[in-house]
Each structure stands twice: as structure tokens, then as C-alpha cells.
Amino acid sequence: MAGLATRSRPGRFSTGRGSGGVGLVSPGQVAIMMIPLTDPRRGRVMLRKQLLAAGYDDKAIARRVKGGEWVKIRHGAYTEAATWNALDEAGRHALAARAVVAQSRTKVVVSHVSGLPFLGAPTWGIDLDLVHVTREDGKAGRSEGGVRQHRGGIIAGDVVECDGLRVMDATRLALETTLVANVEAGVCVVSHLLHASMTTMEQLRARYELMQHWPDSLGTDLVLRLSDHRFESVGECRTYYLCFHEGLPMPQPQYEIRDETGRVVARVDFAWPELGVFLEFDGKVKYEKLLKDGQRASDVVWAEKRREEMICRLTGWRCIRISWADLADPARTAAKIRQALAGRAA
């Protein structure tokens, strides 16, 4: 198992403050003030009570929904269909979280996995059916109507304002995710937030000390031990987790390759230097990042092939490449990696 990944650099989290409300003109030309919005990708929420106050009735609202102009987010909350159709699952969940906060009868903070879309964190492998919020009054929460309320104690520094909403900060969201997601998904989230400098391992460990008696926190320590700020994608996180789960020797992430003069000429996703093997995760996002203006996908693939040949020539190592399809069959992929490692060791 890898050691703890630590950095002395403090986490940076730029909080956004909502601009003025966004108005919707009703049949009576009365402006409805929407929830403050700074990121148009996350859309606007129209509450039924606001629409009724502006002159709509339930039949008019129903006509807008049936006609495809509006979409019902949840009971009593709507948004424009064009906005909804342009959002991915995480974006739609963020919009639902906005609606929940707007409709809540008590002060709540967007928490757990529901805060991840506001930080741009990955939601791979995470169930987004429920909107998670934490009550600020410390009273016992409940789960109903697609909302799960939590009671966890909130301390100074836990909450930030993000796009006009009160959201748990990156450190707490990372830890809360481990309470409701599996270890593999937790590693993806925590590693992303570490890589983005939104938190540090020191901050996570310090906050975790205050949460160890929370329900469902038994897996949190394992997630922290497997997470690493050097992972650059969900694919890399899942590859590392696969090695752990399948009992493979743990590789070194982002291993530097040097030429004859000692100059760093490349970095590989993972390496087993003592066994003479390196591994590259081939994902669509990775190749899109490498694609320059005027280049075709085939140009990137060819350049990557030449890069692999250079690394093999300099090191004498063997390269393993895996993709998303390989991650879907961890046992077979682990056997492939184990065979490669055994072959070089022999």
C-alpha cells in the first residue's frame, strides 16, 4: 500500500459570489427573481410559489412543461428545457440541489456528493439519486422526497459560498464523500481535489480526526491512504485502485524518465522501476488534452507511439497500456499486468 501523499502547499478554493437575481417576465410583466447564478451551465430554478405570485397558475405551468418549454426538476421547482437538456448528470444534480436549498424550511448547506459538481469534481461511480444537505441547526435530519438531510456538526471553515449557495468546503466534501460512496469512487474524488490544490492531505487528516466517530467512516482512512495528488484523471485513480484491490505490486505514479544526460524527457502514468515495466492509461480525455491546433487524432496517436518507443529505448522496459474497457474487467486486466510483471522479473 502506498504511503500518505502530503504537500505543504495550502489548498486554494476560489469561492464565487452570486450576481443579482435573474428575472423572468410573467404574463403580467412581473419579474420573478431567480436564485443567484454565476455559472450558466448550472441553470436557473423557478419555484412554483414564485410563478404563482407572478401571475401563472398551475394549468399555465403544466402547459409550459407539456409543451417542452420548461422541465420539472422536482416537486414545485422548474427550469428551462434548453438548460436542462444541455446539462450532464452532475449538472442536473447541481440544479436539483439549488431547488432543494430554495425550498428548504430550515437553513441547510449543500454537502456530501451533492457539493462535488460545484467544485468541478468527478462523480464517477457515485449515486446521485439523492440530494444531500446538512442542517445548520444541528437537529436530526431525515430522508424523503429525494433529499437526505444530515446532522453532522459544522465548525468554522467548513462552509464556503459557491455560486450563491452555501456549500461545504473541499476538505469536508472530500471526507463526506467517503461516507456515502465506495472506496474506488472516493479515491477519484479525493485525488482530484488534492491535484486541483483545493485541499491537502494535512488538512484532510486534521479534519478527519474530528469525524472518526461519524457513521460509515470506517473506509475513510483507506481512501486517504490510496489517494494521491499526482493522479491526473479518474482513469489513473481507478488503475491505481485496481492494483490495490487485485493484490498487485503498487506502482509509482507519474514516474519521470530521464535521458543519458539525466534530463527529464517524459513522465509515465505508472512504473515498476525494479521490475522494468511502465503503464499508461489511454483515455479519450488524455488524447484530447494532447491534441494541438491543426492536429488530427491520428497525429497524437503517432506521436504517443514514438514517445513510447523512446522510453523503451532509454529504459529497456516493457509498456502496458490499458483503457476504460480494461477497467471494466479488473480480474482479467490484473492478470495481464501480473503476467507482464512476472515476465520482466524472470
Side-chain angles (χ1 to χ4, degrees), residues 56-85:
Y56 288 90
D57 57 23
D58 287 329
K59 290 184 177 179
I61 295 172
R63 283 196 297 271
R64 293 287 182 113
V65 174
K66 185 176 181 179
E69 186 177 347
W70 292 349
V71 169
K72 183 179 179 180
I73 305 171
R74 61 190 311 272
H75 181 69
Y78 307 86
T79 193
E80 292 92 343
T83 296
W84 183 260
N85 294 335

Side-chain angles (χ1 to χ4, degrees), residues 130-152:
L130 294 178
V131 172
H132 293 260
V133 294
T134 296
R135 295 175 66 108
E136 295 193 47
D137 58 14
K139 295 183 179 180
R142 62 184 187 276
S143 296
E144 62 181 17
V147 180
R148 182 175 176 184
Q149 289 186 348
H150 299 265
R151 188 178 56 174

Side-chain angles (χ1 to χ4, degrees), residues 17 79 113 131 154 165 168 178 202 212 225 231 234 243 245 266 276 291 294 318 323 342:
R17 295 189 176 272
T79 193
V113 297
V131 172
I154 300 173
L165 292 182
M168 293 299 183
T178 69
E202 294 86 352
Q212 289 194 27
R225 290 183 178 275
F231 300 151
V234 168
C243 292
H245 188 264
L291 197 62
R318 177 179 177 180
S323 64

